[in-house]
Amino acid sequence: MSSPDSPAIRLCRIEFAYGGGAPVVDIAQLEVARGERLFVEGPSGSGKSTLLCLVAGILTPTGGTVDVLGESVSALGAAARDRFRAENIGFVFQMFNLLPYLSLVDNVVLPCHFSRARAEVALQNSASLADEAMRLLERLGLGTNALRGRRVTELSIGQQQRVAVARALIGRPPLVVADEPTSAMDATARIAFVKLLLEECATAGSTVVFVSHDPSLAASFGRSVSMRKINAAPMEGMVDAG
Amino acid sequence: MRASGILFSLAAKSLLNRRLTAGLTVLSVAVSVALLIGVDRVRTEARTSFTNTISGADLIVGARSGPINLLLYSVFRIGDATNNIGWESYQEIRGRPEVAWTIPISLGDSHRGFRVMGTDDGYFEHYRFARERTLEFADGGVFVNVNDAVLGADVAESLGYAVGDGIIVSHGIGDVSFEDHDELPFVVGGILARTGTPVDRTVHVTLAGIEAIHSGWARTPRARETVVAADALAQELKPDAITACIVGLESKLMLFGLQRFINEYAGEPLMAIVPGVTLQQLWELLGAAEAALLVVSILVVAAGLVGMLTTLLTSLAERRREMAVLRSMGAGARLVFGLLLAEAVLLAAVAALSGVVVVHLAMLAARPLVLANFGFYLHAGLPGEFDLVVVAAVTGAAGLLALVPAWRAFRLSLADGLTVRT
């Protein structure tokens, strides 16, 4: 598997285009060290989401290599990429992270059904997966019984995003990827959420890649890059504007 | 993998979350399955029941009409006789050397909705049903007096009669009759044990009794019953005619000989039928209608399944987000495919099983009605082989149909990845 001294992410001359169109991602070089907290800033259409899909192995680059935790993800087959993602990456989306038909605890436990390794790590911390989920929810301020009994659709956006963080962190995946997780929150809530996320990732020892269009959040991170600078591909809908 | 273990649990929870649409889908498929199984069940039950109603009878003799008509009115109490057999002709048939026994049948009267049948003691001795079973008495016994009546189990039960009760017979068939033969009340002398055949819904009286009420009814308007009854007994009434008779032979070898003799009988136009052969003709006649019904019910099932397909396809649009979340956690596009398939299979299996339960409960409820109106007994037994085949076929067909939404979800989730482009 992954060798511990390899960087968390290494992108080398990657190119990606949807269905033979113009490239939307063209990055010469990007490296993220283990344990690093990287902020990727860029407006919508700058290829951020495509970049995350490439890192997660949902998409494969049309050229170049994607190495994650020492594994050459871009060279793996589809099933192996799915397995790799399950074992190693925790995701937090912009919104609607949770499955509406599962309970709070079931939502948090879900990644452990796709990854034996994460389930085993979770069971080192707690007696059962549900216990571990509740422990994480508690740390994130969602420990009260009143909240746990509620349907996930009845939670506020901020609460839903914190549940999503608990889900991303269960079983301590080496890499946590967050895609605009604060876009539906107000400014104060944003800062608090980012702080909480980074603390928890630090506790879990996970590398963080946080993507947002909001440069004001960059201060909380160790390093910040701009999509406009690293991505040589023209921005979507702005091909002529240059 | 663990992932396959979670598949059905996710599918079930997702369906529960959409319980209104899922419930309606289950309902429509369940109703269609119930219809299909019901049609088949009634068909086979009707056959066994009709076949079981009369056994051991070699010939049934009546006035010349259609063989199926004769069989239906003489044994199953369906429809009416067009003509009678003269008493002399009956005596002649009875006297033939080939004939071991006969049961006379005289129909045309009713008691509170139940048909009254005039016969003699030979009926209780020779009538066989369900292969070799004989009629047994739950209470009382065979005819002793002219005005004795023996009731079928349903008659006694639904009208609350016991041995010793008096009953009045009406002329004609139906619940309400304006002409009650109240000159000669009959007395319940026996109640038969349940047979599961039209016998249960029949009031049996003596031939002489029938004749007595008819002669009294014809001669004197409103004489006191005791006078006429005594008179009738004294006259030792012989009927002029009977409706039909069941004939048992000394040897089966003589069957066709006697049948020809009766069919060519010079005295009056008569007809003898072999019950098994005529039942076969009846099935052939009904075969096309049965096939049509079966085809229609299969089409209804197909319509139910297409409805389910529509529901699943419609749900895809709003579930793309859910698919993306699953994909982000490492679920392959194949799991998304499997999820849709599992939902369809679960829906169909639940629907088909509830259809089976519904149809058996419905048959249990409809049993008395069917027996009363169609003369056969529905056995609402345990689900049989056909039910299993239907459940398997419906579930399988649902799985096949669900390949369409599953494939679509597979493609969508591959294209969407983690971001739903709307």
Side-chain angles (χ1 to χ4, degrees):
Chain A
M1 267 284 303
S2 54
S3 47
D5 52 342
S6 57
I9 299 170
R10 178 190 282 149
L11 306 180
C12 201
R13 284 192 296 280
I14 56 159
E15 248 189 58
F16 183 83
Y18 284 102
V24 290
V25 168
D26 179 358
I27 297 174
Q29 180 81 24
L30 179 67
E31 210 170 290
V32 185
R34 293 212 178 208
E36 202 181 345
R37 306 148 159 214
L38 179 70
F39 182 80
V40 180
E41 186 266 321
S44 62
S46 60
K48 292 174 303 183
S49 296
T50 307
L51 175 65
L52 292 185
C53 283
L54 287 167
V55 169
I58 296 271
L59 299 174
T60 42
T62 33
T65 55
V66 178
D67 292 351
V68 178
L69 306 160
E71 183 81 56
S72 180
V73 173
S74 49
L76 295 173
R81 277 183 278 131
D82 288 335
R83 210 172 315 125
F84 183 81
R85 183 168 65 256
E87 301 282 350
N88 296 298
I89 304 177
F91 261 96
V92 184
F93 288 112
Q94 194 167 1
M95 51 172 68
F96 309 123
N97 270 289
L98 309 176
L99 300 191
Y101 49 85
L102 294 184
S103 71
L104 230 64
V105 167
D106 283 347
N107 259 293
V108 175
V109 165
L110 201 53
C112 296
H113 291 291
F114 296 103
S115 163
R116 194 177 295 269
R118 285 176 73 177
E120 275 164 14
V121 171
L123 289 174
Q124 281 166 16
N125 279 333
S126 304
S128 71
L129 292 175
D131 283 349
E132 175 67 0
M134 282 193 266
R135 190 186 69 83
L136 285 166
L137 288 172
E138 205 140 329
R139 283 185 66 93
L140 290 159
L142 295 166
T144 61
N145 284 321
L147 276 179
R148 248 182 266 141
R150 253 193 253 175
R151 295 170 63 87
V152 293
T153 45
E154 291 165 353
L155 300 178
S156 73
I157 296 287
Q159 286 167 333
Q160 288 189 26
Q161 291 304 75
R162 275 183 282 158
V163 176
V165 169
R167 188 183 63 195
L169 286 172
I170 196 165
R172 294 185 178 166
L175 178 60
V176 170
V177 174
D179 184 6
E180 300 263 21
T182 57
S183 64
M185 300 178 194
D186 59 48
T188 358
R190 266 177 217 188
I191 303 291
F193 178 84
V194 169
K195 190 163 170 281
L196 187 63
L197 173 70
L198 290 177
E199 273 171 19
E200 290 306 310
C201 288
T203 314
S206 309
T207 308
V208 183
V209 175
F210 189 106
V211 173
S212 175
H213 67 278
D214 177 7
S216 68
L217 296 173
S220 308
F221 293 81
R223 182 156 71 107
S224 151
V225 296
S226 161
M227 274 308 276
R228 264 174 297 206
K229 290 199 178 114
I230 59 167
N231 190 4
M235 278 180 59
E236 236 171 83
M238 297 190 179
V239 180
D240 298 323
Chain B
M1 273 295 286
R2 276 160 177 273
S4 57
I6 190 111
L7 192 67
F8 276 92
S9 130
L10 279 180
K13 283 175 179 163
S14 153
L15 287 176
L16 275 179
N17 190 53
R18 290 174 286 137
R19 39 182 105 63
L20 184 65
T21 48
L24 286 174
T25 308
V26 164
L27 183 70
S28 72
V29 176
V31 166
S32 71
V33 166
L35 181 67
L36 174 61
I37 291 178
V39 164
D40 178 76
R41 197 80 183 185
V42 167
R43 186 176 71 110
T44 48
E45 283 298 319
R47 292 196 175 198
T48 8
S49 188
F50 272 53
T51 313
N52 275 344
T53 294
I54 183 150
S55 335
D58 294 308
L59 287 173
I60 296 171
V61 181
R64 194 170 294 162
S65 62
I68 292 174
N69 188 32
L70 170 58
L71 182 74
L72 288 179
Y73 71 68
S74 63
V75 178
F76 301 106
R77 323 265 187 273
I78 297 171
D80 296 303
T82 46
N83 219 333
N84 289 334
I85 310 176
W87 183 251
E88 303 308 324
S89 312
Y90 171 60
Q91 289 304 328
E92 191 169 343
I93 292 165
R94 199 185 172 149
R96 297 282 300 180
E98 305 97 308
V99 174
W101 51 264
T102 59
I103 299 170
I105 296 171
S106 185
L107 298 163
D109 294 306
S110 71
H111 173 70
R112 294 173 68 179
F114 294 102
R115 298 214 179 182
V116 171
M117 179 180 128
T119 187
D120 62 20
D121 285 339
Y123 180 73
F124 304 109
E125 193 182 334
H126 298 297
Y127 188 82
R128 297 281 183 280
F129 65 98
R131 291 177 189 280
E132 278 306 306
R133 289 176 61 190
T134 55
L135 294 174
E136 279 164 25
F137 281 88
D139 198 6
V142 299
F143 302 135
V144 178
N145 298 315
V146 171
N147 63 339
D148 273 350
V150 171
L151 307 182
D154 277 343
V155 182
E157 195 182 295
S158 55
L159 300 180
Y161 286 141
V163 170
D165 288 352
I167 64 172
I168 306 289
V169 169
S170 314
H171 185 61
I173 292 154
D175 264 325
V176 183
S177 176
F178 295 107
E179 302 173 291
D180 276 356
H181 298 293
D182 58 2
E183 296 87 355
L184 184 89
F186 286 87
V187 176
V188 178
I191 292 168
L192 293 170
R194 190 169 290 281
T195 63
T197 72
V199 170
D200 294 350
R201 303 185 59 82
T202 304
V203 176
H204 308 87
V205 298
T206 61
L207 284 175
I210 291 244
E211 212 45 43
I213 53 170
H214 282 246
S215 58
W217 165 66
R219 275 199 324 244
T220 50
R222 308 290 159 202
R224 282 318 317 149
E225 69 265 19
T226 40
V227 182
V228 181
D231 189 32
L233 278 170
Q235 284 184 21
E236 229 190 295
L237 276 160
K238 282 197 188 73
D240 294 336
I242 57 171
T243 312
C245 71
I246 301 174
V247 177
L249 297 180
E250 295 285 354
S251 157
K252 301 269 180 206
L253 295 174
M254 302 160 176
L255 187 84
F256 295 108
L258 184 65
Q259 191 180 18
R260 193 178 313 115
F261 167 79
I262 294 168
N263 286 343
E264 291 166 2
Y265 186 70
E268 58 179 318
L270 294 182
M271 178 175 60
I273 57 166
V274 182
V277 173
T278 305
L279 265 181
Q280 205 52 50
Q281 290 171 348
L282 180 62
W283 302 147
E284 276 164 29
L285 188 73
L286 295 177
E290 286 175 357
L293 261 180
L294 217 55
V295 166
V296 168
S297 7
I298 287 170
L299 287 178
V300 173
V301 172
L305 288 177
V306 169
M308 183 192 75
L309 181 67
T310 314
T311 314
L312 283 178
L313 275 173
T314 319
S315 77
L316 280 189
E318 62 199 56
R319 297 179 66 195
R320 286 167 79 175
R321 189 68 229 166
E322 173 190 334
M323 303 301 173
V325 168
L326 284 171
R327 293 275 282 139
S328 80
M329 278 181 280
R334 272 184 298 179
L335 184 118
V336 169
F337 184 85
L339 192 62
L340 266 290
L341 219 55
E343 283 186 13
V345 167
L346 272 178
L347 274 179
V350 168
L353 288 174
S354 7
V356 170
V357 171
V358 164
V359 82
H360 285 277
L361 290 181
M363 288 200 326
L364 212 61
R367 183 189 287 175
L369 220 68
V370 170
L371 189 58
N373 293 312
F374 305 104
F376 70 91
Y377 190 82
L378 278 174
H379 288 269
L382 289 170
E385 207 173 298
F386 184 77
D387 307 43
L388 286 179
V389 169
V390 169
V391 171
V394 167
T395 311
L400 275 180
L401 280 176
L403 289 177
V404 178
W407 177 246
R408 221 178 121 66
F410 180 83
R411 297 296 311 224
L412 279 174
S413 79
L414 276 185
D416 286 346
L418 302 182
T419 42
V420 178
R421 267 166 269 273
T422 41

